[in-house]
């Protein structure tokens, strides 16, 4: 039950064993203090999110007050509301961390290979990605692979407290888009049927060695040797080779 006065709304509550009317302002004060204690004791690792969690907890209490019946202590009711809301907010952050760490997990899986050739492919993928990342994005990935949480990364990179969440969202969004673009390109390349025999013929006709091609496309001679044996070429490499011989990429496909 609640009643409105000229100053503030009041709720009929059981407090210290007595049923009495308590102002909404007092309930908000209690909720704020309780939320602060709960956050410091149970959620210290979410320090950068404490203000958001506290606001959400207070909103939860205000939303739940109309359903309160003064048969149980009001402070216990407030505490229950706060605990549930903060727990839910923390779960959202944890789930977000899991999503943004999916990229790092994928990169690590790329490195879990059984042979040298696959290790080289994984390193090539990571190198291509890091080459496209900004200095800040590269640092974010490095710290994440080292086990840092988003909050810890933000602190390490000295991001303003009020902007950490939005900036980290933007950074991870950019990193993920670049990784997806590279992966999509790699998938297309995997589906190409390259006429490696024609490339070998062009090399022989023009007295080009594997080292010449390696210098042309910016890789090692060993990598070119692998490409010639496996028909595993990147579109960017084929474009350089095609231009070198006055052809198009299409001319180098079967």
């Amino acid at each position: 039950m609640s009643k409105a006065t000229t100053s503030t709304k009041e709720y009929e509550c059981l407090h210290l064993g007595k049923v009495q009317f308590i102002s909404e302002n007092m309930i908000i004060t209690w909720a704020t203090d309780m939320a602060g204690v709960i956050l410091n004791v149970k959620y210290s690792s979410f320090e950068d999110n404490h203000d958001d969690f506290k606001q959400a907890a207070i909103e939860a209490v205000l939303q739940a007050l109309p359903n309160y019946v003064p048969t149980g202590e009001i402070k216990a009711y407030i505490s229950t509301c706060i605990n549930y809301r903060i727990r839910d907010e923390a779960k959202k952050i944890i789930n977000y961390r899991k999503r943004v760490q999916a990229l790092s997990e994928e990169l690590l899986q790329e490195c879990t290979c059984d042979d040298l050739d696959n290790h080289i492919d994984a390193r090539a993928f990571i190198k291509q990605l890091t080459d496209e990342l900004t200095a800040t994005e590269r640092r974010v990935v490095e710290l994440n692979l080292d086990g840092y949480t988003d909050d810890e990364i933000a602190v390490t990179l000295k991001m303003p407290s009020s902007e950490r969440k939005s900036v980290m969202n933007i950074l991870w969004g950019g990193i993920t888009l670049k990784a997806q673009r590279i992966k999509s390109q790699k998938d297309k390349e995997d589906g190409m049927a390259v006429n490696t025999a024609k490339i070998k013929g062009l090399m022989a006709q023009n007295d080009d060695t594997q080292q010449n091609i390696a210098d042309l496309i910016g890789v090692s001679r060993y990598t070119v040797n692998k490409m010639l044996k496996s028909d595993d070429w990147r579109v960017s490499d084929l474009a350089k080779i095609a231009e070198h011989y006055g052809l198009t990429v299409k001319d180098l496909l079967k």
Side-chain angles (χ1 to χ4, degrees):
M1 178 178 175
S2 65
K3 69 176 182 178
T5 67
T6 55
S7 58
T8 184
K9 181 182 286 189
E10 293 184 339
Y11 291 88
E12 188 177 16
C13 305
L14 179 64
H15 177 51
L16 300 178
K18 296 180 180 180
V19 175
Q20 52 190 293
F21 280 92
I22 297 176
S23 71
E24 186 176 84
N25 287 342
M26 178 58 70
I27 292 173
I28 291 174
T29 298
W30 287 343
T32 302
D33 292 342
M34 289 182 190
V37 172
I38 292 169
L39 288 168
N40 289 331
V41 172
K42 295 183 178 180
Y43 299 92
S44 58
S45 62
F46 294 85
E47 184 177 358
D48 288 339
N49 303 100
H50 277 194
D51 288 343
D52 291 339
F53 285 7
K54 187 178 293 185
Q55 184 60 41
I58 294 171
E59 290 174 0
V61 170
L62 293 178
Q63 290 169 1
L65 277 176
N67 300 320
Y68 169 72
V69 178
T71 54
E73 281 284 341
I74 181 61
K75 283 193 173 182
Y77 186 76
I78 293 172
S79 178
T80 299
C81 293
I82 291 172
N83 272 293
Y84 277 121
R85 177 54 66 89
I86 291 178
R87 182 201 62 185
D88 291 344
E89 294 298 316
K91 282 184 177 179
K92 291 178 185 177
I93 297 296
I94 291 170
N95 289 334
Y96 166 73
R97 289 176 178 175
K98 289 179 180 178
R99 289 195 299 272
V100 298
Q101 287 174 355
L103 170 64
S104 296
E105 292 171 1
E106 182 177 347
L107 294 180
L108 289 173
Q109 289 170 1
E110 289 281 348
C111 292
T112 306
C113 311
D114 296 326
D115 56 75
L116 179 60
D117 286 349
N118 284 336
H119 276 298
I120 291 172
D121 289 342
R123 287 200 298 272
F125 174 81
I126 294 172
K127 183 180 185 303
Q128 187 177 359
L129 174 60
T130 53
D131 285 346
E132 292 198 18
L133 299 180
T134 65
T136 301
E137 288 171 340
R138 282 197 296 273
R139 186 65 177 140
V140 167
V141 172
E142 291 168 357
L143 290 170
N144 185 268
L145 290 173
D146 285 339
Y148 283 61
T149 65
D150 277 4
D151 288 340
E152 291 167 339
I153 291 172
V155 171
T156 301
L157 297 182
K158 295 181 171 57
M159 296 179 188
S161 178
S162 59
E163 300 175 9
R164 287 173 187 169
K165 186 186 299 184
S166 60
V167 172
M168 287 302 300
N169 282 340
I170 292 170
L171 285 169
W172 276 115
I175 293 167
T176 303
L177 285 174
K178 290 174 182 177
Q180 290 173 341
R181 185 170 63 246
I182 292 171
K183 189 174 186 303
S184 176
Q185 179 182 331
K186 183 66 169 62
D187 290 342
K188 289 180 181 178
E189 292 166 1
D190 289 342
M192 291 190 311
V194 180
N195 192 339
T196 300
K198 184 171 184 176
I199 295 175
K200 290 179 179 177
L202 290 167
M203 290 171 62
Q205 291 172 18
N206 293 272
D207 295 325
D208 280 328
T209 65
Q210 291 183 12
Q211 188 59 56
N212 293 146
I213 299 301
D215 294 339
L216 174 68
I217 64 178
V219 298
S220 68
R221 187 197 64 77
Y222 176 86
T223 300
V224 171
N225 182 269
K226 173 180 173 293
M227 290 173 169
L228 291 168
K229 289 180 178 179
S230 64
D231 293 335
D232 185 14
W233 299 87
R234 296 178 301 182
V235 172
S236 57
D237 297 333
L238 292 176
K240 293 176 182 177
I241 293 171
E243 182 181 4
H244 178 64
Y245 293 121
L247 303 171
T248 66
V249 171
K250 188 176 180 180
D251 294 326
L252 300 179
L253 302 180
K254 293 179 181 178

